[in-house]
Each structure stands twice: as structure tokens, then as C-alpha cells.
Amino acid sequence: MSNLLKGLSLKGLKRQWRKRFGVLPLRTSLDGLSEWFDSPLGQLLVDKERDCLDGELGDLFGYHLLQLSVARQLDLTQASRISHRFALYPQVTQNPIVTGVADFTHLPLPPNTVDLVILHHALDFSQKPHQVLRESAGVLISQGHLVVVGFNPWSLLGLWRWLTRFFSDAPQWRHQSLRLGRVLDWLAVLDFEPVAVRQGFYCPPTHKSGVTKYLQWMERWGKRLCLPWGGFYVIVARKDSVAMTPIKPQWQAYRGLRGWGVTKILGKATRDKEPQMHNTSKK
């Protein structure tokens, strides 16, 4: 009886913890996230992320590029040489790059049709990040590329998030704690090979221009030494699964097996309209 009560109490505590600090449903947090990415701190973060993305997108080619971002106003594809660039978003928006409304966990696209997919914090703010990653991998062609932008929990920005969410229930602080190594493990399970990994935003999370300008040395040395505690990471991974092409079986070359009644297939079976009767009587 005591064990049962302990189990119920633990479940209750976990439920209360998820309700207060867990990731919110994406449709209910999109407005708050878009406003935060428009704030001075959010814009500073996006500028750092765009610098990393622009350095990678210029070397990735193809015909179709898909962006999945939690901020409705962003277009992170401008540095790409791919001509057809489009985005999907869970709500109707005026962003010209958004061409359709879709749930990130159920993408309305045929498999093996997109050359490049950008996930801009789509894993961080999803209650089902595994499903989002599987859907993105499914629409990619073989040898296509997946670019993942995520928050690094082991950083000054990650520490600020842990402290702030105890005093604020804003959606931007209630995201998944996805370590870089954890995301790389997920990608390996889906047959992705990491091509490049970059990090940025080594400064403390402040938007004051004077402080940011004074602390630029942290950003320069962090990138130069490839330190592992940047506020965000950018993963470029290539899908190495080989596309399967169905081959029509060569039935004419079938020799058959010993002991079976059919030893050779000559062609399609035909049936005469009227059976022919043979007279076996002797004259």
C-alpha cells in the first residue's frame, strides 16, 4: 500500500512539473515565440544564427529547400543557391516564404522529394521531437541535407533559461533540453552523417549594445577555439540511405527447382475457346 501511494505521489509530482515547466503545445506558443524572436535579445540570437547558416547554405545544392521554423516572420534561406525555397508553418502568416499550413509532426509532402530541410528550433519547442526529425528525414532525398538549429543547454544562455523559467512561464523558456550529442545520436539512427557542426552566441544573454560590444572577444575566441558551450548549435547532416529502385523480375530466365512440377515458365497461360477432341479410335 505504501509503495502504491509513493508511485501515485511521484506520478502526481511529474505531472505537476510538466504542467509548470514542460514544453507547451506548439500551436499555443507560436505567438509568444514569434514576439520573442522579434525582441532585441531574440534578434541578436537570430543574427548570430544567420551568420552560421549563411556560411553553410552556400555549399549545399539541389532543387527544393524547406524551412521549418517556430518564428513566423523569419526567412533563413536567402544565402542558399537553391531556386525553389519555401516554408511550412502551423498557422496562417503573411510571410511570403510560407506556402502552406502544416503540423511539423505530419508533413504533407511526398517522401524523397526535398533536397534540403532547415529545422530552426523546431525540435526544441516540439513535444514530439523524434517525430519531427523522422518526418523531416522522410521527405529528404537520398544524399539530401538536414540543417538543425537548436539551443545548447550547456551554455550561458542555457543557464539563463534554467533560472528564468522558475520566475516566468513564457514559452521561450519552456523548451526541450537537447544536447548536441543527443541530437547527433538521433541522426545516426536515421542514417545521417554529420558534415559540419558549428556553435555561436558565447556571450551572456543580454541585448544592451554596450555590453554586447564589450564582450565580443568571448564570441571571437569561442568560435576560434570551437568551444562547446555556445548558446546554440548548427548541425549539417547528410542522409546516407540509398534509394531503392524496384526491378522487374526476369521470369523468362527462371529455371525452376528440382522436385517441383514446374520446371520452366514459357509465357502467359492461354485458354482455347473450345476444347479440341482427339479421336483415338482405330480405323
Side-chain angles (χ1 to χ4, degrees), residues 12 20 24 42 53 68-70 77 99 109 121-122 135 138 142-143 165-166 188 213 221 234 254 260:
R20 176 61 182 85
L24 297 172
L53 286 173
L68 301 178
S69 175
V70 295
T77 68
T99 59
L109 297 173
H121 298 293
E135 286 289 305
S142 179
Q143 303 301 310
R165 69 176 187 164
F166 285 99
K213 185 177 180 180
W221 281 101
V234 175
Y254 180 78
W260 289 72

Side-chain angles (χ1 to χ4, degrees), residues 29-264:
S29 58
L30 288 174
D31 293 337
L33 293 177
S34 298
E35 293 177 1
W36 183 79
F37 278 103
D38 263 342
S39 67
L41 180 58
Q43 289 180 354
L44 181 62
L45 175 67
V46 171
D47 290 341
K48 303 292 185 182
E49 293 173 343
R50 197 187 300 274
D51 291 340
C52 288
L53 286 173
D54 291 349
E56 300 295 336
L57 294 182
D59 298 328
L60 303 178
F61 302 95
Y63 297 99
H64 309 286
L65 187 157
L66 169 63
Q67 171 186 294
L68 301 178
S69 175
V70 295
R72 64 168 62 95
Q73 70 276 10
L74 292 183
D75 180 5
L76 303 172
T77 68
Q78 297 177 358
S80 175
R81 302 182 184 182
I82 298 177
S83 57
H84 182 214
R85 305 188 299 266
F86 69 103
L88 298 176
Y89 194 72
Q91 293 179 351
V92 178
T93 175
Q94 301 299 323
N95 191 346
I97 193 176
V98 177
T99 59
V101 177
D103 185 354
F104 291 167
T105 59
H106 298 88
L107 297 179
L109 297 173
N112 305 314
T113 54
V114 180
D115 300 274
L116 176 60
V117 177
I118 300 176
L119 295 179
H120 179 251
H121 298 293
L123 301 182
D124 295 322
F125 293 100
S126 174
Q127 292 181 326
K128 299 178 180 179
H130 299 85
Q131 181 64 22
V132 175
L133 197 59
R134 281 194 295 265
E135 286 289 305
S136 303
V139 301
L140 271 176
I141 65 170
S142 179
Q143 303 301 310
H145 289 85
L146 179 68
V147 180
V148 180
V149 183
F151 288 119
N152 181 14
W154 302 106
S155 63
L156 294 177
L157 183 61
L159 177 61
W160 179 257
R161 171 246 180 178
W162 276 99
L163 296 175
T164 305
R165 69 176 187 164
F166 285 99
F167 307 98
S168 173
D169 58 352
Q172 65 266 21
W173 310 120
R174 301 178 62 173
H175 56 76
Q176 303 280 359
S177 296
L178 301 178
R179 296 180 294 103
L180 175 61
R182 187 179 182 187
V183 179
L184 290 175
D185 290 341
W186 291 356
L187 292 172
V189 172
L190 296 174
D191 294 328
F192 278 88
E193 180 70 21
V195 176
V197 177
R198 301 180 63 180
Q199 294 194 31
F201 204 85
Y202 292 90
C203 299
T206 177
H207 61 273
K208 295 183 178 180
S209 58
V211 178
T212 304
K213 185 177 180 180
Y214 178 76
L215 296 177
Q216 281 302 309
W217 62 271
M218 298 179 64
E219 194 74 20
R220 290 193 302 268
W221 281 101
K223 290 183 178 182
R224 183 176 301 178
L225 299 177
C226 298
L227 298 178
W229 51 77
F232 68 88
Y233 51 79
V234 175
I235 305 173
V236 181
R238 182 181 62 248
K239 184 179 179 181
D240 284 343
S241 59
V242 180
M244 302 292 291
T245 303
I247 300 177
K248 186 177 181 180
Q250 300 294 329
W251 294 110
Q252 295 295 338
Y254 180 78
R255 295 183 179 180
L257 298 174
R258 291 184 179 181
W260 289 72
V262 179
T263 58
K264 188 175 182 181

